[in-house]
Amino acid sequence: MTWEISPYTSEQRETWNAFVAAGRASSFLFDRRYMDYHAPRFRDGSLMARRDGKLMAVLPANITGSTLHSHQGLTYGGWVLAPRGLDTTEVFHLWHRWIEYCREAGITEIDYKPLPTIYSPMPSQEDRYLLALSGATMSACNIASALNLTCKPGLNTLQRRHLRHTPADYRHMAFSGNCPEAVDAFHRMLTACLAERHDARPVHSADELARLMEEFPENIVLWLAYVGGRPAGAVCVYLNPGCVHCQYIATTPAGRDSNILTPLFCDMMAYYKSKGYIYFDFGTSNEDGGRLLNAGLNRQKTSYGASGVAYERWTINVSSALESLPTSLWPAP
């Protein structure tokens, strides 16, 4: 078999998107319509790998200096493989050729973020195996909190109490597609909440979020909780096959006083369970590459019945990897 690796170009956008949509373990975040909204911030380094001329894998990536990242603008990344026709030996040859390609291109280090397990509709962890064979070192590990929707939610005593005391005038609505008024209301709430509670700002501007929601109406949904007819809490979710991810969570002071997230999350979990989703990911609770845990935030997420999922980050030294990788996975005769 012959593997050829080449840089992605904008002329291949439709080919890339069609491949990503059918990939074994993928995400709509790898669609060029999502990746390219922040293209001015990054020097793209995405790669396409063909085996005997047929596209079999793509890598969302960017480059800084002599480092290849998979991808700094995305929470996770890694190689997206074809759904069929690749066993571990073939992925090994792809990986080996990729490391050689990086050396030839002047890349000395690779910053690699594999896809968390809950985002894979089917098993696809050959990259973890090959990270080990490459002598890669874990550079960061964040912990997210997720629950399996096929099991009982397992609310703790406090959350059950909050649910029993849901305000009588609580209502919720879900928005997708073109909904600028809902986005503006949500973004104002999110900006104030992040500034007040975390001294932070949203990654996306209101205009960016509105554009992304219009571009991906099936993947980005905004849930708003109302008390007394006014927005009191909100959750923006990213939908991937089988997995719901809470991208943003916000409340007003009144929403926090009434614990409005409890009925909202319960309604969301029931809805997505009915739609066949398996995992509900509340997101990570870390700072400083995982070295610091926001224990209170983590405890709040686990109070819904969630438990830990690792978001890993690995560093590959290209020269060392070429020395560490075996020439073959088969023993010599």
Side-chain angles (χ1 to χ4, degrees), residues 31-321:
D31 188 296
R32 299 309 306 197
R33 292 172 297 165
Y34 188 92
M35 290 182 62
D36 291 347
Y37 89 90
H38 56 195
R41 306 173 192 172
F42 300 100
R43 175 190 167 195
D44 194 78
S46 301
L47 300 174
M48 305 178 76
R50 291 174 170 83
R51 184 188 63 191
D52 298 329
K54 182 178 180 180
L55 184 63
M56 297 297 288
V58 300
L59 178 71
N62 72 286
I63 296 174
T64 62
S66 61
T67 299
L68 181 73
H69 306 269
S70 72
H71 175 298
Q72 285 180 300
L74 304 176
T75 307
Y76 43 72
W79 279 101
V80 180
L81 305 177
R84 292 172 295 278
L86 287 176
D87 62 20
T88 301
T89 302
E90 290 167 317
V91 180
F92 165 78
H93 288 295
L94 159 63
W95 191 275
H96 201 288
R97 178 67 195 105
W98 172 48
I99 301 297
E100 289 180 331
Y101 171 90
C102 288
R103 180 183 61 180
E104 294 162 2
I107 299 297
T108 61
E109 186 176 85
I110 300 169
D111 171 27
Y112 191 87
K113 294 182 288 189
L115 192 71
T117 54
I118 59 174
Y119 289 90
S120 298
M122 57 190 297
S124 188
Q125 291 195 318
E126 289 87 351
D127 56 356
R128 267 78 162 189
Y129 172 61
L130 293 165
L131 284 166
L133 292 186
S134 302
T137 57
M138 186 179 288
S139 56
C141 186
N142 290 283
I143 192 73
S145 303
L147 58 82
N148 188 321
L149 293 173
T150 64
C151 305
K152 291 184 179 180
L155 300 180
N156 71 5
T157 302
L158 181 61
Q159 291 294 0
R160 291 197 297 271
R161 185 183 305 131
H162 289 167
L163 192 59
R164 288 196 301 270
H165 292 88
T166 298
D169 55 355
Y170 156 75
R171 300 290 184 272
H172 73 261
M173 292 185 66
F175 300 88
S176 61
N178 185 11
C179 49
E181 291 184 3
V183 171
D184 286 343
F186 164 70
H187 204 271
R188 287 194 300 271
M189 184 193 313
L190 178 66
T191 301
C193 186
L194 288 176
E196 177 186 347
R197 298 171 65 83
H198 304 288
D199 191 26
R201 298 177 60 186
V203 173
H204 299 98
S205 69
D207 288 343
E208 287 174 333
L209 182 58
R211 184 168 65 83
L212 288 171
M213 288 185 65
E214 190 170 0
E215 191 74 63
F216 296 96
E218 302 299 319
N219 301 102
I220 304 177
V221 181
L222 182 59
W223 290 72
L224 286 176
Y226 298 85
V227 175
R230 295 185 177 184
V235 182
C236 178
V237 294
Y238 279 15
L239 304 177
N240 283 290
C243 186
V244 182
H245 171 71
C246 298
Q247 181 72 11
Y248 290 119
I249 302 170
T251 52
T252 65
R256 291 191 286 276
D257 289 342
S258 61
N259 301 299
I260 203 63
L261 287 179
T262 301
L264 180 59
F265 275 134
C266 288
D267 287 340
M268 292 170 64
M269 289 186 288
Y271 175 81
Y272 286 116
K273 179 180 179 179
S274 74
K275 296 298 181 181
Y277 286 86
I278 300 173
Y279 293 107
F280 193 94
D281 180 11
F282 290 93
T284 60
S285 304
N286 298 103
E287 299 174 22
D288 192 23
R291 292 176 178 85
L292 297 178
L293 175 69
N294 185 328
L297 182 60
N298 178 259
R299 189 174 300 114
Q300 180 185 21
K301 294 173 180 178
T302 57
S303 68
Y304 291 95
S307 51
V309 176
Y311 278 54
E312 303 168 0
R313 190 169 191 161
W314 294 81
T315 298
I316 306 171
N317 181 291
V318 171
S319 296
S320 298

